[in-house]
Amino acid sequence: EVIDTSGGCGASFAIEIVSEQFEGKRLLERHRLVNAALEEEMKQIHALSIKKALTTGQWKQQQESEKSSSAA
């Protein structure tokens, strides 16, 4: 998910990203992967906040947890 936090100018974003490539990697390593993947885009962006960087399994677990919390 990409959220424009710049008020419309497109220079500041918050993201939540899910990737199998994060498997077995620490949070810092995950952030480095994201920054490397967005290297060209980062030249145009003032600020990028990575709110969540989850593996597919972590994301599924989070979704199940949220469903059971809202059902209670």
Side-chain angles (χ1 to χ4, degrees), residues 5-16:
T5 58
S6 66
C9 75
S12 180
F13 297 93
I15 64 172
E16 295 181 9

Side-chain angles (χ1 to χ4, degrees), residues 25-57:
K25 296 196 173 28
R26 296 177 191 220
L27 185 59
L28 182 58
E29 293 171 303
R30 295 174 185 194
H31 284 220
R32 286 179 177 157
L33 281 172
V34 172
N35 285 324
L38 297 174
E39 184 176 0
E40 284 302 311
E41 289 82 358
M42 291 302 292
K43 294 176 184 177
Q44 313 292 319
I45 296 173
H46 172 71
L48 178 68
S49 175
I50 303 171
K51 297 292 185 183
K52 294 181 184 176
L54 305 172
T55 65
T56 306

